[in-house]
Amino acid sequence: MPPLTRVVLAEDEVLLREGLVALLTRFDFTVCAAVGSAPALLDAAREHEPDLVLTDIRMPPGRRDDGLRAAVVLRAEQPHLPVVVLSQYVQTGYAAALLDSGDGQRVGYLLKDRVAEVTEFVDTLRRVTTGGTAIDPDVVRQLLHRPRDPLAALSPREREVLALLAEGRSNASIASRLHVTEAAVGKHVGNILIKLDLPPSDDTNRRVLAVLTYLRADPAA
């Protein structure tokens, strides 16, 4: 049996925190610590060195973006640390800040409503833990409707593919979603990378850079 994924959880709402602990335990995660503030998150993550940090964005003491800022600090200390943040509302800037942290990989930004979709939520946690990136579809949809110069050269289909890339989907998953072949998706991804003028590197890093370009695009452009 593979080792259980060790998680540090930060959520200030007690009922939600206890519910998340129960859910994670049910799906073979080990919760090393469950805390209710950003300073406690920093202490717990440094002490336990978990496989995954799962945190609310709005946390004490400031109840603004304290949880996100703590996550960014942890990613600066451990660039490969997988982190998933939960938000009550769509805040595209928060997603961009998280993707800017560490190595730009192993991060997730989800709305709290996604927790109710248990199987998908757990799959997202596992995907991030194994090196993937996942952005909530509602965030992606909001970004898609904002004009941005860096994406002006993309066709409507290429924008669809990039939006699904931002959700952390594989080529096979995108092909299934769009009812096209995986080869067609690969061609679209290649065109996106070329049109965004991304520097040559390994394919995973270029895909992350494409998502970063998507999230950083200027809304006033």
Side-chain angles (χ1 to χ4, degrees):
M1 178 182 293
L4 301 183
T5 301
R6 300 168 62 254
V7 181
V8 165
L9 168 66
E11 168 58 57
D12 63 314
E13 295 180 15
V14 175
L15 289 179
L16 179 55
R17 184 168 70 238
E18 292 180 351
L20 284 168
V21 169
L23 186 155
L24 292 168
T25 302
R26 172 185 166 195
F27 284 90
D28 296 329
F29 293 83
T30 296
V31 180
C32 304
V35 300
S37 72
L41 167 59
L42 291 172
D43 290 342
R46 289 163 178 161
E47 176 184 352
H48 294 284
E49 299 183 350
D51 303 309
L52 173 69
V53 166
L54 175 62
T55 181
D56 189 5
I57 285 179
R58 295 181 181 273
M59 294 279 289
R63 296 189 182 277
R64 294 175 62 84
D65 59 352
D66 298 63
L68 174 68
R69 287 190 284 112
V72 170
V73 167
L74 291 171
R75 293 267 297 172
E77 296 173 356
Q78 304 175 59
H80 303 299
L81 174 66
V83 171
V84 174
V85 301
L86 301 174
S87 179
Q88 191 71 42
Y89 308 104
V90 174
Q91 293 283 352
T92 56
Y94 288 162
L98 188 64
L99 281 163
D100 274 336
S101 68
D103 62 359
Q105 301 179 57
R106 302 174 184 84
V107 293
Y109 177 101
L110 299 176
L111 296 182
K112 285 187 174 181
D113 290 348
R114 301 298 170 193
V115 176
E117 300 168 11
V118 174
T119 301
E120 185 175 341
F121 174 66
V122 170
D123 286 346
T124 296
L125 298 184
R126 288 175 174 153
R127 184 165 71 244
V128 170
T129 302
T130 56
T133 300
I135 306 300
D136 194 281
D138 283 354
V139 177
V140 172
R141 278 193 288 272
Q142 181 164 317
L143 287 164
L144 192 62
H145 289 91
R146 291 164 49 193
R148 54 185 73 77
D149 278 345
L151 308 184
L154 301 186
S155 70
R157 177 62 89 183
E158 287 163 355
R159 285 178 177 246
E160 284 185 280
V161 170
L162 182 53
L164 293 171
L165 278 179
E167 292 179 20
R169 294 178 182 269
S170 65
N171 283 12
S173 175
I174 294 171
S176 176
R177 180 70 175 268
L178 298 180
H179 306 291
V180 298
T181 66
E182 194 170 343
V185 173
K187 183 176 179 180
H188 285 311
V189 171
N191 288 339
I192 290 167
L193 299 178
I194 291 169
K195 289 181 179 181
L196 294 182
D197 195 27
L198 296 176
S201 63
D202 69 80
D203 183 61
T204 299
N205 284 339
R206 294 183 84 200
R207 290 164 75 101
V208 171
L209 288 171
V211 172
L212 284 171
T213 300
Y214 185 57
L215 291 171
R216 291 170 176 161
D218 183 1

